[in-house]
Every structure is written in C-alpha cells, then in structure tokens.
Amino acid sequence: QLQLSESGGEWVQTGGSLRLSCAASGRSVSTTTMAWFRQAPGKEREFVAAIRRHGGGTYYGDSVKGRFTMSRDNAKNLVSLQMNSLRPEDTAVYYCAATTTGILSTVARVSAYNDWGQGTQVTVSS
C-alpha cells in the first residue's frame, strides 16, 4: 500500500517562493508516475505537474509553466514542487498523487491516479 504525505504548505506573499515535498512509503517513486494537483475552494481539482516513472519526463499545467519545477529524489523516495513567483491565484490545497501507469496522455487526469496524500494548504496574498 503506497502512502503519500505532503508538507511545506504555508502562507507566502505574492511573488514569493515555496517548496512542497511529498514523501512516499510502500513503493519506490522511481517506478511510479507522481503528480501534483491543486484545488481551490469551489473549484475542480487542477493538474499542476507530473513526473513520469522510469525517467519518462516532467510535465506542467499551463498556469504554472515557467514558475514551478517538479523533481524527484529517488534516494529519499520523495518528490518536490518548487514554486516561484507565486500569485494569489495559486492559493489552494496541493495534493500529491501517484499511479503505477505511465501513459503520457493521462498524466493530467485526476482519474489516472490511484493514491493521494491528505493535501497541504498554500495561501498567497499581499
């Protein structure tokens, strides 16, 4: 059973940076496609970024391209999301997700992921 635990969410000023982490247990992140999604109040869960298993590449949602960077640390069995130039519209609960499949066409779909963390709140304001 894969367990995911996010950390790093907090309040930050507009234009600031945060780094989120997702620690995995029960399976290696190197053999798992990992992703970050976010959900703001009253909105649907939105794809943020994904990193495919076995070095299959990293992908980003349009709203975060050029500002966010997702990475994987196989030795620590975790993935991270470095968020720069944060905006108020980035405010949301950020979720880590995992799937054993690595199909490129599905990496941005909520339905493709079987395992989810509990989420971490990111609040951006001035």
Side-chain angles (χ1 to χ4, degrees):
Q1 181 75 23
L2 177 66
Q3 292 187 326
L4 304 172
S5 179
E6 304 96 333
S7 61
E10 62 179 89
W11 176 85
V12 64
Q13 279 192 327
T14 299
S17 298
L18 274 180
R19 187 175 183 87
L20 305 183
S21 294
C22 173
S25 60
R27 189 163 71 234
S28 171
V29 297
S30 66
T31 63
T32 306
T33 294
M34 304 291 295
W36 289 95
F37 287 80
R38 67 186 182 186
Q39 190 165 19
K43 295 189 176 182
E44 293 187 351
R45 197 161 293 191
E46 176 190 16
F47 171 71
V48 175
I51 188 165
R52 291 174 67 203
R53 62 182 184 173
H54 302 307
T58 309
Y59 306 89
Y60 298 93
D62 289 341
S63 61
V64 307
K65 281 180 183 176
R67 299 188 298 123
F68 291 11
T69 302
M70 184 175 182
S71 60
R72 176 170 52 206
D73 187 330
N74 292 335
K76 295 182 179 179
N77 210 37
L78 61 81
V79 294
S80 298
L81 184 68
Q82 178 65 41
M83 306 187 294
N84 299 328
S85 302
L86 283 162
R87 306 166 180 168
E89 53 264 40
D90 294 318
T91 295
V93 177
Y94 284 70
Y95 296 92
C96 179
T99 178
T100 54
T101 65
I103 303 172
L104 179 57
S105 63
T106 66
V107 292
R109 298 180 190 174
V110 171
S111 60
Y113 294 86
N114 310 112
D115 299 288
W116 293 83
Q118 81 287 352
T120 185
Q121 175 71 47
V122 172
T123 303
V124 185
S125 69
S126 54

